[in-house]
Amino acid sequence: MKLLSPAISRLARLRQNAIQHWMEDPVGAQRDVLQHLVTDGQYTEFGKRYKLSTTFRIRDFKAAVPIHEYDDLKPYIERMMAGEDNVLWNTPVEWFAKSSGTTSDRSKFIPVSQESLDENHFQCNKDVLWQYYFHYPDSDLLAGKGLVIGGSHQIGSVNENIHYGDLSAVLLQNAPMWSQWIKTPELSIALMDEWETKIEQLAQSTIVENVTSVSGVPTWTLVLFKRILEITGKSCMLDVWPNLELYLHGGVSFTPYRQQFEQLIGGPIRYLEVYNASEGFFAAQSHEGEDGMLLYLDHGIFYEFMPIEEYGSENPQTLGLKDVVVGKNYAPVITTTGGLWRYLIGDTIQFTSTFPFRVKVSGRLKHFINAFGEEVIIENTDQAIAAACAATGAVVTDYTAAPLYFSADSNGAHEWAVEFAQAPADTEQFANALDEALRRINSDYDAKRHKNIALRRLVLHAVPAGTFAAWLRSKGKLGGQHKVPRLSNDRNTLEEILIIFNQHER
């Protein structure tokens, strides 16, 4: 199959020319995207309400259209799901991606138009492939199959024309037929709803395939790998799939999982991160060693960046590409071909470079701990977990943390529940290493920890294997893209995890 590589690599070089064009003129590319969006949206009900026909300049657009969260757009989306056309977008929207909900709803339903499929999701997936072949022209990636560990929801229907499901299910249902030739498993397994049965079916059906790439959330990919090794009796995944060369990951930080993957895979492969969500495909690493993911700027999404200190203000300000700086936390605000207008997706990102524009996900707007002025974000805790693992030889499967507030006889702390794949010899040593790493990484946390005046050393509970899966199962969210919130200013998730832990202990 090496004969394929030169031909595919030539195609990749042709596509790279187009990619290079918007990389060299990012502001111009984004201006063109916005003009396209406004042109198509001006005659919708939303467009008429906000007079989009007069807002072709970025400054006018930002002045006319307020920033929206899901609950702001929900009334429009409900009408679209009832079959109304021309509400948020000017072409019929027949698909909706179901994702984790807001404080007022269990689930969100994100409009997925044909344009958002073609110009964003599918084109971005193809560009990940083209960029991979551009940087690795001798690859044999397409000589085998890509294993996609997608979501766990069956397709649902509102009526004969309107359907919904996990983003992965929506993409699978709308993908061109030829794409099934290069993917595994078959659609009936990929769309299975019951996750534990699905893992077994995935394992049994893919053992015999020539798998060259795997994509999925790290937690469930590890579960699948371990089951495959149990079934086959092999010592590592390269003994099962000798041509495996790439793992595409996203959804959570890969830092706490890298050591486990390297052990289970048993040899060198490439690891690339992608930033893909129900709202859109935003960015991807072009090659290994790249600091951050290349932001896709010519794929049907117009971006603004809100400094996180603006969140919650009466008139939050946003920045364009020319004004962002490296290392600062921003909340992306997007306008898309699915009809999301100035939509706050809820992630926080940092730029790792500004020419070209590369980003990394630093956390969630509402997933952090700032109970004592410490401003700890997920990027901090992921790095600290990795440092504590390196210091103690531990391997962490998952974790969550929340503040432990002042009491009559004790000052505050952070309380952690940590599930280990490989427990440290001394849990207290791990807790010390974790606390010390957080102090090195986050100066605000270190200041609050000074002499234990505001914060004492963190409190750590080592919970048994399966605790986090049990919590997800209790919420009906086992599998797919669902994950336990890593950090929170309230204690609800942590206390529910500890209840499961205490029941196990009894």
Side-chain angles (χ1 to χ4, degrees), residues 180-396:
Q180 297 304 317
W181 303 338
I182 59 172
K183 289 181 181 178
T184 189
E186 63 182 47
L187 197 59
S188 62
I189 296 174
L191 294 175
M192 285 180 69
D193 193 47
E194 204 286 299
W195 192 254
E196 288 162 305
T197 303
K198 180 175 181 175
I199 285 288
E200 186 67 23
Q201 291 291 316
L202 279 168
Q204 297 286 355
S205 65
T206 58
I207 287 171
V208 296
E209 299 280 9
N210 175 25
V211 173
T212 53
S213 70
V214 177
S215 59
V217 174
T219 44
W220 297 106
T221 305
L222 286 172
V223 171
L224 176 63
F225 283 0
K226 290 175 182 177
R227 180 58 186 144
I228 287 174
L229 294 179
E230 286 176 2
I231 294 169
T232 61
K234 304 289 187 181
S235 61
C236 67
M237 293 307 301
L238 284 175
D239 287 343
V240 181
W241 299 322
N243 297 315
L244 180 65
E245 62 173 274
L246 173 65
Y247 174 54
L248 290 166
H249 60 88
V252 297
S253 169
F254 191 55
T255 302
Y257 300 101
R258 179 177 283 274
Q259 181 183 357
Q260 293 181 73
F261 270 83
E262 290 173 348
Q263 289 175 350
L264 288 173
I265 289 171
I269 68 165
R270 300 183 182 108
Y271 300 90
L272 295 179
E273 184 175 9
V274 297
Y275 183 13
N276 190 13
S278 299
E279 295 86 354
F281 197 131
F282 306 129
Q285 273 184 305
S286 305
H287 54 85
E288 273 199 309
E290 183 176 66
D291 185 14
M293 296 170 282
L294 181 66
L295 190 63
Y296 285 164
L297 299 174
D298 190 34
H299 297 74
I301 297 178
F302 176 72
Y303 294 95
E304 303 169 55
F305 304 95
M306 178 196 297
I308 59 171
E309 58 269 20
E310 292 282 333
Y311 181 61
S313 63
E314 185 175 341
N315 184 29
Q317 300 301 301
T318 63
L319 305 176
L321 288 172
K322 61 185 178 62
D323 295 317
V324 298
V325 297
V326 170
K328 183 175 174 60
N329 279 305
Y330 298 101
V333 176
I334 62 172
T335 298
T336 77
T337 52
L340 300 179
W341 297 94
R342 300 200 77 203
Y343 182 81
L344 188 66
I345 61 177
D347 291 336
T348 61
I349 58 102
Q350 293 178 0
F351 284 88
T352 59
S353 71
T354 54
F355 198 84
F357 288 91
R358 294 193 178 101
V359 300
K360 63 180 179 181
V361 180
S362 55
R364 295 281 294 172
L365 268 176
K366 298 177 182 177
H367 291 184
F368 58 88
I369 301 178
N370 192 29
F372 310 97
E374 66 274 49
E375 297 184 357
V376 170
I377 61 175
I378 292 172
E379 183 188 25
N380 300 156
T381 54
D382 280 343
Q383 291 177 5
I385 283 282
C389 286
T392 64
V395 178
V396 168

Side-chain angles (χ1 to χ4, degrees), residues 55-74:
T55 59
F56 283 85
R57 292 188 304 177
I58 293 173
R59 181 174 62 250
D60 296 336
F61 175 71
K62 291 169 66 172
V65 181
I67 291 174
H68 296 94
E69 295 189 63
Y70 181 78
D71 285 343
D72 301 316
L73 293 181
K74 182 182 172 184

Side-chain angles (χ1 to χ4, degrees), residues 31-48 51-56 61 80 85-93 113-116 118-119 299-301 335-341:
R31 186 168 51 245
D32 290 345
V33 168
L34 180 61
Q35 288 184 348
H36 165 61
L37 291 164
V38 170
T39 298
D40 286 348
Q42 63 184 315
Y43 300 115
T44 63
E45 181 175 320
F46 184 94
K48 292 174 183 176
K51 299 180 173 58
L52 292 185
S53 60
T54 64
T55 59
F56 283 85
F61 175 71
M80 295 168 73
D85 291 335
N86 235 34
V87 179
L88 288 175
W89 193 240
N90 69 322
T91 62
V93 178
S113 67
Q114 191 61 48
E115 290 86 350
S116 59
D118 293 339
E119 298 173 23
H299 297 74
I301 297 178
T335 298
T336 77
T337 52
L340 300 179
W341 297 94

Side-chain angles (χ1 to χ4, degrees), residues 100 111 312 400-401:
S100 297
T400 190

